[in-house]
C-alpha cells in the first residue's frame, strides 16, 4: 500500500466509510469519475438559450460587471474604446495573443495594443472567454500560451470578449464543453470570474479591486 492510499484510507475510516477502496468499490468509484454525471441542476439554468443569455447579463451586472452587446467581432474594438474613454483610461491595452482578440482591427478604433502577458503598471487588458455561465453571470477563462492568466488579475480594468453562443446554463455544461473540445490534458488553470475583484475583510467595508481588477467589462458578441 502506498503512503497516499494509507492517508486516504485513514480519512475514509474517520468518516465511517471503511478502509482503502478495492474490488467492486474501486471500480464503481472509477466509473463515476469517468462518467462525469451532473448533480442537481438549478431550475433557473434550465431554460432556452436566449433566456440564458438574458440571465447571464442580469447576473453579471448584479455582480458589478458592466456589459456591452455588439453585433459581431468587428465591433469589439469600438466597444472597448468606448469603455476606456468612459473610464478615463488611455487608449492602450495589453491583449491576449489568442486570434479571437489579437486578430481584431484595434488600430481602426485608435487603440494601441501589445499581445503579451500583463506586467505591473498595465492599466487595461483584453482577453477572450471560453464560456459564460448563466446561473451566476460567471466567466470561464482558460490559461495557456494564447491567454496568460496574468491578464485576468494585474491590470486595473479587465475587458473580456465573450461570444453569446458560448453561454450555457449551469457550470456542468461548461465543463462538458471543455472536456469535449480540449480533451486531455486540461488547462493548467481554469479561472471563474464573477464581477470585479472585491473584499470586505477590512472593517466589513466593501473595497473594489482588492485582489485584482477594479473594473470588469464584458463585450458580448452576437445574440
Amino acid at each position: 500500500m502506498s503512503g497516499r492510499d494509507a492517508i486516504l484510507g485513514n480519512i475514509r475510516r474517520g468518516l465511517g466509510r471503511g478502509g482503502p477502496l478495492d474490488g467492486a468499490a474501486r471500480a464503481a468509484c472509477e466509473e463515476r469519475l469517468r462518467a462525469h454525471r451532473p448533480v442537481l441542476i438549478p431550475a433557473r439554468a434550465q431554460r432556452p438559450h436566449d433566456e440564458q443569455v438574458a440571465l447571464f447579463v442580469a447576473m453579471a451586472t448584479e455582480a458589478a460587471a458592466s456589459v456591452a452587446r455588439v453585433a459581431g467581432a468587428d465591433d469589439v474594438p469600438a466597444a472597448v474604446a468606448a469603455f476606456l474613454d468612459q473610464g478615463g483610461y488611455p487608449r492602450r491595452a495589453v491583449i491576449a495573443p489568442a486570434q479571437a482578440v489579437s486578430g481584431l482591427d484595434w488600430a481602426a478604433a485608435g487603440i494601441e495594443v501589445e499581445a503579451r502577458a500583463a506586467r505591473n503598471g498595465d492599466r487595461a487588458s483584453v482577453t477572450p472567454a471560453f464560456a459564460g455561465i448563466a446561473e451566476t453571470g460567471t466567466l470561464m477563462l482558460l490559461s495557456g500560451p494564447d491567454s496568460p492568466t496574468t491578464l485576468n488579475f494585474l491590470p486595473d480594468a479587465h475587458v473580456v470578449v465573450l461570444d453569446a453562443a458560448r453561454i450555457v446554463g449551469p457550470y456542468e455544461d461548461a465543463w462538458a464543453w471543455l472536456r469535449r473540445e480540449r480533451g486531455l490534458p486540461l488547462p493548467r488553470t481554469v479561472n471563474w470570474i464573477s464581477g470585479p475583484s472585491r473584499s470586505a475583510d477590512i472593517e466589513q467595508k466593501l473595497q473594489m479591486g482588492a485582489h485584482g481588477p477594479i473594473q470588469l467589462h464584458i463585450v458580448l458578441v452576437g445574440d
Side-chain angles (χ1 to χ4, degrees), residues 57-65 198:
V57 172
M59 296 303 295
T61 303
E62 186 174 320
R198 73 198 78 187

Side-chain angles (χ1 to χ4, degrees), residues 66-208:
S66 54
V67 181
R69 303 196 65 170
V70 298
D74 291 343
D75 302 315
V76 169
V80 174
F83 166 75
L84 295 175
D85 290 347
Q86 185 176 10
Y89 298 98
R91 286 199 177 188
R92 185 166 56 252
V94 56
I95 65 173
Q99 179 63 26
V101 171
S102 63
L104 300 176
D105 189 357
W106 296 102
I111 302 176
E112 177 186 339
V113 299
E114 291 184 74
R116 57 169 172 79
R119 297 193 292 257
N120 186 36
D122 289 329
R123 297 294 309 283
S125 64
V126 184
T127 67
F130 179 77
I133 317 301
E135 64 173 301
T136 54
T138 299
L139 296 161
M140 182 182 190
L141 285 79
L142 311 180
S143 67
D146 62 348
S147 188
T149 299
T150 53
L151 296 174
N152 305 341
F153 300 109
L154 287 182
D156 295 330
H158 184 198
V159 180
V160 179
V161 180
L162 172 64
D163 187 340
R166 299 197 64 85
I167 290 177
V168 298
Y171 286 83
E172 287 81 358
D173 286 356
W175 281 116
W177 273 10
L178 179 58
R179 295 187 186 100
R180 183 171 62 249
E181 296 181 10
R182 297 295 184 95
L184 296 175
L186 294 176
R188 183 177 178 86
T189 304
V190 176
N191 291 132
W192 302 93
I193 298 176
S194 303
S197 172
R198 73 198 78 187
S199 175
D201 291 343
I202 301 174
E203 297 182 352
Q204 296 187 354
K205 294 181 179 179
L206 186 63
Q207 300 290 328
M208 304 301 289

